[in-house]
């Protein structure tokens, strides 16, 4: 849904009223002194030897803080210059269903020296995921296919099978998810982060949230405004509290339209070994014609899930490949092979247990944040409209996913993001982003009002800062994290 950060997007398919939340969060976050953290060597290979891990105990249900507890796995690499240390920078992952537990050793080391001096780098596995208390739905293997988790309609536009799949997946989550799956939500992830803050002994937190992590960061800043220090929100979600994840899914319409022309230009460049056409204008009809042919005549694809290259698998691959220009060659090679009636080797898949975990956390978050329509008619209308206006995404963006049959009622209303709170948020956003398009990011910018400044970057890809952005955007964000200084007004990095 939103990437759903790139790994999560490839794996998973992926507002509380202040008057209600304030007393609840205050009780939940400040009751009792936190236990001292027991830092130890992190499990896993390839990690920075300085990275340590610990667990923080949090309530499974914040409405019952004295009840059952779950664990949140956290990590840190301490400030590289204690004399320059300002505090802790929490790395909020995308998803939902992403992790930042190893990020202090990974992308955290891309941060400039002055930022690594200023902060302890903090990663974590969100509730339900990985080394935190985990959750699973035990889905059928076939339902772990990306073209099922992201619900592509049938070639004729029918969503009948999607509704059946949603019910089957929902039944599995109800059967296997336990009580925990009912308490996985963005608001609870924000509360968990505040428990981590308290356990670290920090009065305030700084943050770098990416993709879905921008929504988590925005929610945290809404629920705990006086506990925010310097917040960077990178590749930003539409915060519409009336739709939440449904708006993120619909955002792919604009995201693909913004980004596909860049692929088309690349795929028509002379000298490109994976060139598809003589001109950029030819690439879109070529893709649409091939997808339609594969709808009619799929190509067997042993080892893939599903074990065929059909039109929807091609469309899903297109969507995934537009997350970064580095994905363009893989999409072009698949198109060239399919035109000849062949396929490349099946892409490697993560272990099924990981896929199950990601899918369960994603479903829990998306479906518990807000109630989705139950009627097929609501999705049928949206799918038909979207297919006509946005043929590249073929109606997926308005379709029924597992949430259409979710058996649980949301525990609370979605958080509404407002301009109330300190002016310490910097948004960074690429102009062409398939997962979190600029049009949605501007809605978060508007919602935050004077709390935020936005840096728009003339670049293509998801994840702007230190990834698919540009030097101007990176420099602006790094300076803010290191000094707290940001442009006086919204800025364009050309």
């Amino acid at each position: 849904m939103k990437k759903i950060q790139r790994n999560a997007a490839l794996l998973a398919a992926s507002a509380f009223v202040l008057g209600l939340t304030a007393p609840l969060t205050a009780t939940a976050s400040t009751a009792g002194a936190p236990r001292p953290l027991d830092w130890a060597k992190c499990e896993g290979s390839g990690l920075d030897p300085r990275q340590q891990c610990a667990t923080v105990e949090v309530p499974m249900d914040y409405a019952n803080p004295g009840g059952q507890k779950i664990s949140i796995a956290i990590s840190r690499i301490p400030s590289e210059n204690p004399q320059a240390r300002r505090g802790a920078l929490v790395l909020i992952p995308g998803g939902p269903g992403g992790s930042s537990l190893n990020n202090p050793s990974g992308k955290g080391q891309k941060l400039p020296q002055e930022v690594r001096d200023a902060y302890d780098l903090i990663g974590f596995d969100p509730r339900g995921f990985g080394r935190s208390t985990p959750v699973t739905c035990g889905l059928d293997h076939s339902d772990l296919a990306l073209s099922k988790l992201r619900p592509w309609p049938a070639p004729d536009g029918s969503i009948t099978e999607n509704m059946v799949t949603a019910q089957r997946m929902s039944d599995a989550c109800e059967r296997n998810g336990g009580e925990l799956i009912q308490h996985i939500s963005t608001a609870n992830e924000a509360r968990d982060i505040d428990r981590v803050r308290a356990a670290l002994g920090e009065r305030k937190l700084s943050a770098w949230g990416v993709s879905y992590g921008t929504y988590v960061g925005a929610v945290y800043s809404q629920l705990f405004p006086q506990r925010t220090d310097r917040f960077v929100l990178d590749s930003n979600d539409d915060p519409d509290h009336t739709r939440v994840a449904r708006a993120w899914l619909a955002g792919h319409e604009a995201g693909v339209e913004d980004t596909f022309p860049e692929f088309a230009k690349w795929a028509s460049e002379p000298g490109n070994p994976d060139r598809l056409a003589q001109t950029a204008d030819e690439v879109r009809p070529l893709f649409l014609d091939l997808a339609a042919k594969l709808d009619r005549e799929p190509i067997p694809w042993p080892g893939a899930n599903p074990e065929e290259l059909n039109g929807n698998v091609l469309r899903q691959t297109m969507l995934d490949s537009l997350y970064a220009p580095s994905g363009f060659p893989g999409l072009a090679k698949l198109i060239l092979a399919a035109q000849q009636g062949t396929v490349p080797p099946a892409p490697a898949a993560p272990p099924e247990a990981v896929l199950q975990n990601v899918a369960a956390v994603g479903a829990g978050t998306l479906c518990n944040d807000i109630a989705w329509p139950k009627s097929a008619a609501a999705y049928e209308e949206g799918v038909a409209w979207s297919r006509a206006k946005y043929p590249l995404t073929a109606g997926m963006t308005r379709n029924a996913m597992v949430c259409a049959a979710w058996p649980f009622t949301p525990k609370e209303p979605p958080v509404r993001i407002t301009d109330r709170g300190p002016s310490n948020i910097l948004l960074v956003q690429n102009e062409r982003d398939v997962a979190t398009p600029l049009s949605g990011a501007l809605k978060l910018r508007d919602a935050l009002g004077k709390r935020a400044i936005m840096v728009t970057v003339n670049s293509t890809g998801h994840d702007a800062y230190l990834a698919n952005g540009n030097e101007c955007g990176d420099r602006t964000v790094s300076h803010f994290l290191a000094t707290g200084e940001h442009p006086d007004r919204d800025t364009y990095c050309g």
Side-chain angles (χ1 to χ4, degrees):
M1 290 248 62
K2 3 234 39 300
K3 196 165 135 315
I4 295 182
Q5 194 183 46
R6 183 155 202 259
N7 286 347
L10 296 176
L11 298 178
S14 94
F16 233 74
V17 181
L18 271 180
L20 171 62
T21 353
L24 176 60
T25 51
T27 301
S29 298
T30 60
R35 297 178 181 177
L37 292 172
D38 184 14
W39 294 104
K41 179 179 173 61
C42 296
E43 298 181 30
S45 59
L47 299 176
D48 190 302
R50 297 171 298 168
Q51 182 173 304
Q52 302 171 306
C53 286
T55 58
V56 176
E57 188 177 78
V58 303
M60 181 171 67
D61 179 1
Y62 277 94
N64 180 24
Q68 185 175 344
K69 302 296 191 295
I70 60 172
S71 293
I72 303 298
I74 67 170
S75 62
R76 75 170 179 186
I77 290 180
S79 158
E80 296 181 20
N81 181 358
Q83 291 183 330
R85 183 186 183 278
R86 177 179 179 84
L89 178 70
V90 62
L91 310 175
I92 308 178
S99 167
S100 66
L101 192 66
N102 292 338
N103 283 1
S105 292
K107 74 175 191 176
Q109 296 308 301
K110 296 180 180 179
L111 290 162
Q113 187 66 53
E114 59 268 27
V115 177
R116 288 184 281 119
D117 287 346
Y119 300 100
D120 298 344
L121 305 181
I122 306 297
F124 68 101
D125 276 345
R127 62 168 49 209
F129 186 78
R131 299 190 187 280
S132 296
T133 304
V135 68
T136 185
C137 289
L139 301 177
D140 293 347
H141 175 75
S142 63
D143 288 338
L144 293 171
L146 291 174
S147 51
K148 291 283 190 71
L149 294 171
R150 281 203 180 117
W152 295 88
D156 64 357
S158 168
I159 69 163
T160 300
E161 184 179 347
N162 302 129
M163 293 296 292
V164 172
T165 300
Q167 189 64 60
R168 181 174 62 250
M169 295 171 69
S170 179
D171 289 345
C173 290
E174 183 177 27
R175 184 169 59 249
N176 302 316
E179 186 179 353
L180 175 55
I181 202 165
Q182 301 181 52
H183 298 284
I184 294 176
S185 69
T186 303
N188 280 343
E189 182 171 336
R191 296 183 183 110
D192 292 344
I193 290 172
D194 200 59
R195 283 293 181 111
V196 170
R197 174 201 59 77
L200 292 170
E202 300 291 335
R203 187 173 61 88
K204 293 184 176 184
L205 280 178
S206 292
W208 174 16
V210 179
S211 192
Y212 166 69
T214 65
Y215 184 61
V216 177
V219 169
Y220 183 91
S221 74
Q222 189 71 37
L223 300 184
F224 306 102
Q226 302 309 317
R227 296 175 190 165
T228 63
D229 191 9
R230 299 168 184 169
F231 265 50
V232 171
L233 305 183
D234 172 1
S235 305
N236 296 275
D237 275 328
D238 182 343
D240 184 351
H241 67 285
T242 68
R243 301 179 70 203
V244 194
R246 293 182 67 205
W248 307 340
L249 195 65
H252 285 101
E253 295 164 348
V256 167
E257 290 298 327
D258 290 345
T259 308
F260 192 89
E262 296 299 306
F263 169 72
K265 285 191 290 186
W266 173 89
S268 58
E269 289 176 353
N272 183 345
D274 301 311
R275 193 180 190 190
L276 298 179
Q278 297 297 308
T279 68
D281 288 344
E282 296 173 284
V283 176
R284 180 185 294 250
L286 179 154
F287 177 86
L288 292 172
D289 289 347
L290 179 60
K293 180 181 179 182
L294 292 171
D295 284 337
R296 300 186 301 269
E297 303 170 13
I299 302 171
W301 203 357
N305 186 15
E307 290 200 333
E308 65 178 25
L309 175 60
N310 57 40
N312 282 339
V313 172
L314 180 67
R315 295 178 185 104
Q316 180 65 53
T317 304
M318 175 271 295
L319 187 61
D320 295 335
S321 300
L322 297 184
Y323 271 79
S326 60
F328 292 177
L331 175 59
K333 286 178 169 61
L334 180 62
I335 290 171
L336 290 168
Q339 287 176 325
Q340 302 302 316
T342 64
V343 290
E352 182 151 326
V354 174
L355 291 173
Q356 292 281 5
N357 193 196
V358 170
V361 173
T365 307
L366 302 177
C367 306
N368 290 333
D369 271 4
I370 195 169
W372 290 51
K374 302 294 185 184
S375 166
Y379 299 103
E380 289 169 346
E381 180 180 356
V383 164
W385 176 87
S386 184
R387 283 170 65 85
K389 188 170 178 62
Y390 301 102
L392 286 170
T393 45
M396 177 277 293
T397 53
R398 308 275 172 166
N399 202 1
M401 61 177 295
V402 59
C403 303
W406 198 243
F408 310 114
T409 301
K411 302 290 185 182
E412 56 195 350
V415 174
R416 182 170 187 167
I417 305 303
T418 74
D419 60 0
R420 296 193 296 273
S423 299
N424 55 1
I425 300 173
L426 184 69
L427 278 60
V428 59
Q429 177 69 39
N430 283 348
E431 278 194 286
R432 297 167 296 280
D433 183 332
V434 70
T436 55
L438 178 60
S439 54
L442 289 170
K443 294 178 182 178
L444 179 58
R445 171 68 189 90
D446 288 345
L448 288 168
K450 293 182 179 179
R451 295 199 67 186
I453 292 293
M454 184 165 175
V455 180
T456 303
V457 179
N458 179 16
S459 192
T460 301
H462 189 57
D463 296 3
Y465 180 48
L466 303 180
N468 295 310
N470 65 20
E471 192 276 336
C472 165
D474 291 350
R475 183 178 64 249
T476 304
V477 175
S478 295
H479 185 70
F480 171 68
L481 286 173
T483 68
E485 298 174 359
H486 55 65
D488 292 336
R489 59 181 62 86
D490 291 355
T491 300
Y492 182 74
C493 275

